[in-house]
Amino acid sequence: MLADLRASYSYIHHRIEVTLVVIKKYPNRRLYDSSQSKYVNLDFIKVLINDRVEFKIVDSKTDADLTKSVLLQIISESETNEQQSLLTDVLLKQLIRFYDSDMEVFVRQYL
């Protein structure tokens, strides 16, 4: 399935010089790739990430940037699979502690 997604994107990417792929997220949680004029899923977003394609996910009505929340959703779904999990409970707790602390600026620069 990922190979099909990658092939589909590769075809479009070579046909059209795309500098930034804009994905619109609709209220029904569907994602729409405006560069290809078709609906996509989170696996397609992963392909864009792995292929280092610049993209932005925006709310279809307000144009609010939703990229970070969708990226967090992908991470969250990946973390539920123990074989794929990268973030330990200890690491997650430590990251949460850094929010609103004096170390927040340093952690942001490090990451």
Side-chain angles (χ1 to χ4, degrees), residues 25 29 42 68-78:
K25 186 172 184 183
R29 298 178 52 183
L42 293 179
K68 186 181 286 188
S69 67
V70 173
L71 293 174
L72 288 168
Q73 179 183 352
I74 291 170
I75 290 171
S76 177
E77 288 180 10
S78 296

Side-chain angles (χ1 to χ4, degrees), residues 9-21 35 53:
Y9 177 74
S10 180
Y11 170 73
I12 294 295
H13 184 64
H14 292 299
R15 244 185 58 211
I16 303 169
E17 189 60 38
V18 178
T19 56
L20 178 70
V21 175
S35 71
V53 175

